[in-house]
Amino acid sequence: MANPFEDLIQYCQSLATISSIQSVLAWDQETYMPKGAIQFRSKQCSWLSETAHSYWISDTFKRFLGNCIDLNSQEILIDSLTFEQERLVQELYKDWKKKTQLPTKFVGEYSALIAESTHVWQQAKDNNHYSLFEPHLAKLIEMSRQKAELIDPQKSCYDVLLDDFEPGMSMITVKELFSSLKEHVLPLLKRIQDLPMDFKLIKGPFNTNQQWLYTLDLLKKMGFDFDQGRQDKSSHPFTIDIHPTDVRVTTRLDQNLFFSGITSTIHEGGHGLYEQGLQKEYFGTPLAQAVSLGIHESQSRLWENHVCKSLPFWQGQFASIQSYFPDQFKDISAQDLWKQVNKVEPGFIRVEADEITYLCHIMIRFECECALFDGSLSTKDLPDFWNNRYQTYLGISPSSDSVGVLQDIHWSSGLFGYFPTYVIGSICAAQLFATLKGALPNIDTLIQTGDWLPIKDWLSTHIYQKGRVYSPNELIKMVTGKDISAQYLLDYLIEKYEDLYEVDLG
């Protein structure tokens, strides 16, 4: 006998197979694709996007979905479904409603624009040539406005875009959250940045081949499965989810930057573990998808900040680091590394920022996006706006657009509304880690000894395997007992920097 739910799952997995091919091409474009291939690649991406979208809006999918949920009342029609399976159908319905508002031709054109724009962005960044990228950025913003208008003309454009990454979040909510953070973070930054910190500075160069081998070792300790994933190099670290059995992460290595490759690898490794930990049997459905980008980011920030930037990490890894770099660490201690990697110092590069100034980087980008989408800022004036905000928040002004407005790949990928999820991720990471410390009272010992699998297992049970069953706040409340709250992050930052700077910041 026909099983409507199984029919729906199989159809979703066929659709997801098409999307997974898009992911492979996106990964290839950022790692190995020849520069001259971009025009044909944009055609490939456009065709795949149109094909995937045609699956979403087809009568076949509508029929399969309609056999499981009433498309008018949203009532579940199959009594035998479990709670998780009901939630799968409900989330698919939400996705379907959004997809059906977008014409297939528009989706193809938008995908082609993104493929070309990311390529042009890289050229512009490499050559410090913002004017090369600016026309593409203007067109991306215009098409994003069109997309939001098509999906929900009753909501503000930015709220529609934000909902793609952080369901239920609004621009007003983000502004309120950032405003409360600024009240505490900016005075904390002002107080800390001029405090002395005594440590021995490490000096390069640091052989990038040795860095590469060490980062692979770190991923293995985290529990990243190299039979179901790989690491490569890119100018901007990222993670691509092709399938739970095929997860690609990248890192960035520089012979003059020792910490950059380590933190990039562990950050992306956190994303990669989430993707590898999703339920394989439900591939292509909401049960095998992250609940939000903020929760996804919480996993990478937890590993990067609460594990990698902790003193037990450097104490435990010091001998290994010395074995990879015997000449550079003869007169350096683990505590020197801990202090240097955490030193609060305003800088231009977001991915290399300390945990306090990092929040400012995201607030600046959010303010840029708000101004771009409410029409008060043009793309031509964006660099000046950006530089002014850096002077206001961090007291520095970028020396070039390459380290300024061009440093992030996100806007070239059409990811507007994405940046706020980084702060939400930091907030949720602190809240989850506070709970994790209660579940694993010996966590400092685990971190120091390199026995990190219990951390991964706890996250797998409480986060990875839940998919999109619960909303972001529901998930955090279920795990921690509290609604999402910035107080955990503030408490963590104060405690951490009191230890680092040996002062009372209360």
Side-chain angles (χ1 to χ4, degrees), residues 32 46 86 119 204 278 295 432 434 463 474 487:
Y32 298 110
S46 177
E86 287 185 358
H119 183 73
L278 294 168
I295 298 300
L432 287 169
I463 304 295
E474 287 173 340
Q487 192 60 50

PDB file of all heavy atoms in Angstrom, residues 32 46 86 119 204 278 295 432 434 463 474 487:
ATOM      1  N   TYR A  32      39.193  25.006  -6.129  1.00  0.00           N
ATOM      2  CA  TYR A  32      40.002  24.502  -7.231  1.00  0.00           C
ATOM      3  C   TYR A  32      39.598  24.967  -8.629  1.00  0.00           C
ATOM      4  O   TYR A  32      40.330  24.738  -9.584  1.00  0.00           O
ATOM      5  CB  TYR A  32      39.989  22.967  -7.217  1.00  0.00           C
ATOM      6  CG  TYR A  32      40.583  22.367  -5.967  1.00  0.00           C
ATOM      7  CD1 TYR A  32      39.777  21.719  -5.033  1.00  0.00           C
ATOM      8  CD2 TYR A  32      41.946  22.467  -5.708  1.00  0.00           C
ATOM      9  CE1 TYR A  32      40.322  21.177  -3.879  1.00  0.00           C
ATOM     10  CE2 TYR A  32      42.492  21.936  -4.562  1.00  0.00           C
ATOM     11  CZ  TYR A  32      41.686  21.287  -3.647  1.00  0.00           C
ATOM     12  OH  TYR A  32      42.231  20.765  -2.501  1.00  0.00           O
ATOM     13  N   SER A  46      22.912  28.340 -12.365  1.00  0.00           N
ATOM     14  CA  SER A  46      21.581  28.817 -12.729  1.00  0.00           C
ATOM     15  C   SER A  46      20.663  27.659 -13.103  1.00  0.00           C
ATOM     16  O   SER A  46      19.519  27.569 -12.648  1.00  0.00           O
ATOM     17  CB  SER A  46      21.690  29.801 -13.900  1.00  0.00           C
ATOM     18  OG  SER A  46      20.410  30.226 -14.308  1.00  0.00           O
ATOM     19  N   GLU A  86       5.679  14.790  12.377  1.00  0.00           N
ATOM     20  CA  GLU A  86       4.719  15.878  12.187  1.00  0.00           C
ATOM     21  C   GLU A  86       5.439  17.207  12.015  1.00  0.00           C
ATOM     22  O   GLU A  86       5.080  18.021  11.154  1.00  0.00           O
ATOM     23  CB  GLU A  86       3.753  15.956  13.369  1.00  0.00           C
ATOM     24  CG  GLU A  86       2.725  14.837  13.416  1.00  0.00           C
ATOM     25  CD  GLU A  86       1.716  15.038  14.538  1.00  0.00           C
ATOM     26  OE1 GLU A  86       1.857  16.031  15.294  1.00  0.00           O
ATOM     27  OE2 GLU A  86       0.790  14.212  14.657  1.00  0.00           O
ATOM     28  N   HIS A 119      32.802  35.520  -7.616  1.00  0.00           N
ATOM     29  CA  HIS A 119      34.051  35.526  -8.376  1.00  0.00           C
ATOM     30  C   HIS A 119      34.600  36.957  -8.504  1.00  0.00           C
ATOM     31  O   HIS A 119      35.794  37.194  -8.294  1.00  0.00           O
ATOM     32  CB  HIS A 119      33.810  34.925  -9.757  1.00  0.00           C
ATOM     33  CG  HIS A 119      35.039  34.802 -10.602  1.00  0.00           C
ATOM     34  ND1 HIS A 119      36.014  33.858 -10.355  1.00  0.00           N
ATOM     35  CD2 HIS A 119      35.460  35.530 -11.681  1.00  0.00           C
ATOM     36  CE1 HIS A 119      36.979  33.985 -11.247  1.00  0.00           C
ATOM     37  NE2 HIS A 119      36.677  34.990 -12.057  1.00  0.00           N
ATOM     38  N   GLY A 204      57.033  34.541  13.818  1.00  0.00           N
ATOM     39  CA  GLY A 204      57.112  33.630  12.698  1.00  0.00           C
ATOM     40  C   GLY A 204      58.403  33.772  11.938  1.00  0.00           C
ATOM     41  O   GLY A 204      59.354  34.368  12.436  1.00  0.00           O
ATOM     42  N   LEU A 278      23.887  15.187  11.745  1.00  0.00           N
ATOM     43  CA  LEU A 278      22.462  15.191  11.410  1.00  0.00           C
ATOM     44  C   LEU A 278      21.990  13.786  11.030  1.00  0.00           C
ATOM     45  O   LEU A 278      22.795  12.931  10.667  1.00  0.00           O
ATOM     46  CB  LEU A 278      22.207  16.164  10.260  1.00  0.00           C
ATOM     47  CG  LEU A 278      22.460  17.645  10.586  1.00  0.00           C
ATOM     48  CD1 LEU A 278      22.464  18.474   9.310  1.00  0.00           C
ATOM     49  CD2 LEU A 278      21.414  18.177  11.565  1.00  0.00           C
ATOM     50  N   ILE A 295      22.058  28.972  15.740  1.00  0.00           N
ATOM     51  CA  ILE A 295      22.385  27.737  16.450  1.00  0.00           C
ATOM     52  C   ILE A 295      23.586  27.067  15.791  1.00  0.00           C
ATOM     53  O   ILE A 295      24.468  26.530  16.469  1.00  0.00           O
ATOM     54  CB  ILE A 295      21.177  26.777  16.471  1.00  0.00           C
ATOM     55  CG1 ILE A 295      20.005  27.420  17.224  1.00  0.00           C
ATOM     56  CG2 ILE A 295      21.568  25.456  17.138  1.00  0.00           C
ATOM     57  CD1 ILE A 295      20.288  27.777  18.672  1.00  0.00           C
ATOM     58  N   LEU A 432      25.043  27.441  26.184  1.00  0.00           N
ATOM     59  CA  LEU A 432      25.204  25.986  26.077  1.00  0.00           C
ATOM     60  C   LEU A 432      26.426  25.504  26.853  1.00  0.00           C
ATOM     61  O   LEU A 432      26.377  24.462  27.512  1.00  0.00           O
ATOM     62  CB  LEU A 432      25.325  25.577  24.602  1.00  0.00           C
ATOM     63  CG  LEU A 432      24.041  25.631  23.773  1.00  0.00           C
ATOM     64  CD1 LEU A 432      24.357  25.476  22.294  1.00  0.00           C
ATOM     65  CD2 LEU A 432      23.052  24.557  24.230  1.00  0.00           C
ATOM     66  N   ALA A 434      27.785  26.821  29.468  1.00  0.00           N
ATOM     67  CA  ALA A 434      27.509  26.870  30.902  1.00  0.00           C
ATOM     68  C   ALA A 434      26.779  25.606  31.342  1.00  0.00           C
ATOM     69  O   ALA A 434      27.054  25.051  32.415  1.00  0.00           O
ATOM     70  CB  ALA A 434      26.679  28.111  31.237  1.00  0.00           C
ATOM     71  N   ILE A 463      21.900  18.764  20.327  1.00  0.00           N
ATOM     72  CA  ILE A 463      21.744  19.744  19.250  1.00  0.00           C
ATOM     73  C   ILE A 463      21.637  19.087  17.880  1.00  0.00           C
ATOM     74  O   ILE A 463      20.627  19.218  17.190  1.00  0.00           O
ATOM     75  CB  ILE A 463      22.919  20.753  19.240  1.00  0.00           C
ATOM     76  CG1 ILE A 463      23.053  21.454  20.600  1.00  0.00           C
ATOM     77  CG2 ILE A 463      22.721  21.777  18.115  1.00  0.00           C
ATOM     78  CD1 ILE A 463      21.887  22.343  20.970  1.00  0.00           C
ATOM     79  N   GLU A 474      13.172  27.358  21.607  1.00  0.00           N
ATOM     80  CA  GLU A 474      12.675  26.135  22.236  1.00  0.00           C
ATOM     81  C   GLU A 474      13.813  25.154  22.492  1.00  0.00           C
ATOM     82  O   GLU A 474      13.880  24.527  23.555  1.00  0.00           O
ATOM     83  CB  GLU A 474      11.613  25.471  21.358  1.00  0.00           C
ATOM     84  CG  GLU A 474      10.281  26.181  21.331  1.00  0.00           C
ATOM     85  CD  GLU A 474       9.329  25.585  20.312  1.00  0.00           C
ATOM     86  OE1 GLU A 474       9.800  24.888  19.379  1.00  0.00           O
ATOM     87  OE2 GLU A 474       8.112  25.822  20.431  1.00  0.00           O
ATOM     88  N   GLN A 487      22.918  37.336  28.881  1.00  0.00           N
ATOM     89  CA  GLN A 487      23.599  37.452  30.172  1.00  0.00           C
ATOM     90  C   GLN A 487      24.702  36.404  30.324  1.00  0.00           C
ATOM     91  O   GLN A 487      25.742  36.678  30.926  1.00  0.00           O
ATOM     92  CB  GLN A 487      22.587  37.317  31.313  1.00  0.00           C
ATOM     93  CG  GLN A 487      23.142  37.717  32.682  1.00  0.00           C
ATOM     94  CD  GLN A 487      23.615  39.164  32.703  1.00  0.00           C
ATOM     95  OE1 GLN A 487      22.880  40.068  32.293  1.00  0.00           O
ATOM     96  NE2 GLN A 487      24.837  39.377  33.161  1.00  0.00           N
TER      97      GLN A 487
END
